[in-house]
Amino acid sequence: AQSVTQLDSQVPVFEEAPVELRCNYSSSVSVYLFWYVQYPNQGLQLLLKYLSGSTLVKGINGFEAEFNKSQTSFHLRKPSVHISDTAEYFCAVSVGGSNYKLTFGKGTLLTVNP
Amino acid sequence: NAGVTQTPKFQVLKTGQSMTLQCAQDMNHEYMSWYRQDPGMGLRLIHYSVGAGITDQGEVPNGYNVSRSTTEDFPLRLLSAAPSQTSVYFCASRRRVRVPNEKLFFGSGTQLSVL
């Protein structure tokens, strides 16, 4: 079965600083990887996804993620964060043969301070 | 086009009571699912459905029942509520089942407290 580990439960940063949110996965078969964002008191929204091809994936709001198969990682990055990026971020994985059910990590709370 | 609609937004129950959380989508999505979100636990899949009349268990199905009589609706039933079921519940759907690149559309959640 697949699993997802988000290595940091909370990441505080200052506005305009770069940020990296870490995600590692485990699976014995090919996986499809996603990052979702949850703003306060809302449901989740898709930020970006990796299926195949280029290992660098660009998403909405200036975020990008890099798939590293050898390290089984899919870290999320943004070169300069804004106050409005304060949210909880979830890494998720799905595999074939399971109707592509999504398994989520435990989330990383990104807090951007002025 | 309303997307995924969940009702109610808030609910307080007493231990042992039963209730149904409603979920409806108007996008003709094949796949629908229920997650619960608990602090420090992320989202955990309760049940899911790949089409009308077809449901299956997720990661944490105990204490919950589902049915899918129509494409649009996927209610979640708590038969005898327990304090351990205090959580925020999200319904999510996507267009097709057997395609890996489909994004999930989430409802705005139901906050449930069981006393």
Side-chain angles (χ1 to χ4, degrees):
Chain A
Q2 69 269 27
S3 68
V4 178
T5 302
Q6 291 185 243
L7 297 161
D8 305 294
S9 59
Q10 296 187 52
V11 173
V13 296
F14 288 108
E15 195 172 17
E16 298 184 4
V19 70
E20 178 180 82
L21 307 183
R22 298 181 292 167
C23 172
N24 285 91
Y25 68 92
S26 66
S27 174
S28 57
V29 298
S30 296
V31 298
Y32 305 92
L33 295 158
F34 304 78
W35 276 98
Y36 280 80
V37 59
Q38 184 181 29
Y39 298 104
N41 300 313
Q42 295 185 25
L44 280 72
Q45 305 171 34
L46 181 66
L47 202 56
L48 50 78
K49 59 187 177 184
Y50 172 79
L51 305 175
S52 63
S54 173
T55 57
L56 185 63
V57 180
K58 293 191 184 298
I60 62 172
N61 300 338
F63 283 93
E64 62 183 31
E66 185 160 16
F67 172 63
N68 188 318
K69 188 175 182 178
S70 62
Q71 296 187 5
T72 61
S73 68
F74 190 55
H75 299 334
L76 181 70
R77 300 186 183 104
K78 185 169 182 178
S80 175
V81 294
H82 302 291
I83 299 281
S84 59
D85 292 322
T86 294
E88 191 150 25
Y89 292 79
F90 293 93
C91 183
V93 60
S94 72
V95 299
S98 65
N99 290 314
Y100 299 110
K101 302 192 302 290
L102 274 189
T103 298
F104 286 88
K106 294 185 178 180
T108 297
L109 178 61
L110 173 65
T111 304
V112 181
N113 299 300
Chain B
N1 193 333
V4 180
T5 303
Q6 288 184 238
T7 56
K9 291 191 181 304
F10 302 95
Q11 183 70 50
V12 179
L13 294 177
K14 294 181 180 178
T15 297
Q17 286 185 314
S18 63
M19 81 158 294
T20 300
L21 307 186
Q22 301 291 346
C23 175
Q25 52 87 13
D26 60 359
M27 298 173 282
N28 200 31
H29 284 180
E30 286 183 343
Y31 179 94
M32 296 186 74
S33 56
W34 278 100
Y35 287 88
R36 60 177 288 173
Q37 182 178 25
D38 302 289
M41 300 293 290
L43 280 86
R44 292 180 291 170
L45 183 65
I46 305 171
H47 286 285
Y48 68 99
S49 168
V50 298
I54 307 170
T55 64
D56 205 348
Q57 295 181 351
E59 192 181 344
V60 288
N62 292 339
Y64 307 96
N65 278 357
V66 292
S67 60
R68 184 104 178 262
S69 56
T70 67
T71 301
E72 294 79 18
D73 300 299
F74 190 46
L76 179 72
R77 297 184 187 84
L78 284 71
L79 301 177
S80 179
S84 61
Q85 294 178 303
T86 293
S87 187
V88 180
Y89 292 84
F90 287 99
C91 180
S93 70
R94 69 171 191 262
R95 191 159 51 108
R96 293 171 291 180
V97 176
R98 301 297 300 173
V99 175
N101 62 337
E102 299 266 327
K103 74 174 184 179
L104 274 179
F105 289 78
F106 282 82
S108 56
T110 295
Q111 190 168 321
L112 176 67
S113 295
V114 182
L115 307 177

